[in-house]
Amino acid sequence: LNTPHIVLLALATLCCAAMIRLPRWRWLALYILAALLANAAATGALSGPHDRYQARVAWLVLVPPLLALRWGRDAPPRPGTSAPTARNP
């Protein structure tokens, strides 16, 4: 049962790392990858390296790719930019 989860999280991590190149998703992807690394460092230093500590936040790596699939080009505008207006027929 672990194999599908490992494969899914590995692919999502690669997608999240690739999304750093996209301006719209850069900060979200960087924030989540940094949070995973910080969590791994903190839990590894403060206690034994148990999988359950990283498993509590591992699902976060799925968020940027899923949001990108959901929104695609219709993502909400970034703060400070003007939203496109819809044309009336």
Side-chain angles (χ1 to χ4, degrees), residues 84-89:
T85 57
R87 295 183 186 176
N88 292 331

Side-chain angles (χ1 to χ4, degrees), residues 12 16 19 25 28 32 58-69:
C16 196
M19 289 176 73
W25 302 103
L28 178 63
I32 289 177
W59 63 271
L60 288 174
V61 80
L62 295 168
V63 171
L66 291 176
L67 285 177
L69 286 174

Side-chain angles (χ1 to χ4, degrees), residues 14-76:
L14 290 175
C15 288
C16 196
M19 289 176 73
I20 292 173
R21 297 181 58 175
L22 302 173
R24 179 171 286 164
W25 302 103
R26 177 174 294 137
W27 293 110
L28 178 63
L30 280 173
Y31 181 76
I32 289 177
L33 290 174
L36 290 175
L37 287 174
N39 182 57
T43 58
L46 298 176
S47 64
H50 299 291
D51 292 336
R52 68 177 181 263
Y53 296 124
Q54 191 69 12
R56 292 177 183 162
V57 294
W59 63 271
L60 288 174
V61 80
L62 295 168
V63 171
L66 291 176
L67 285 177
L69 286 174
R70 168 69 173 98
W71 283 334
R73 291 186 178 185
D74 297 330

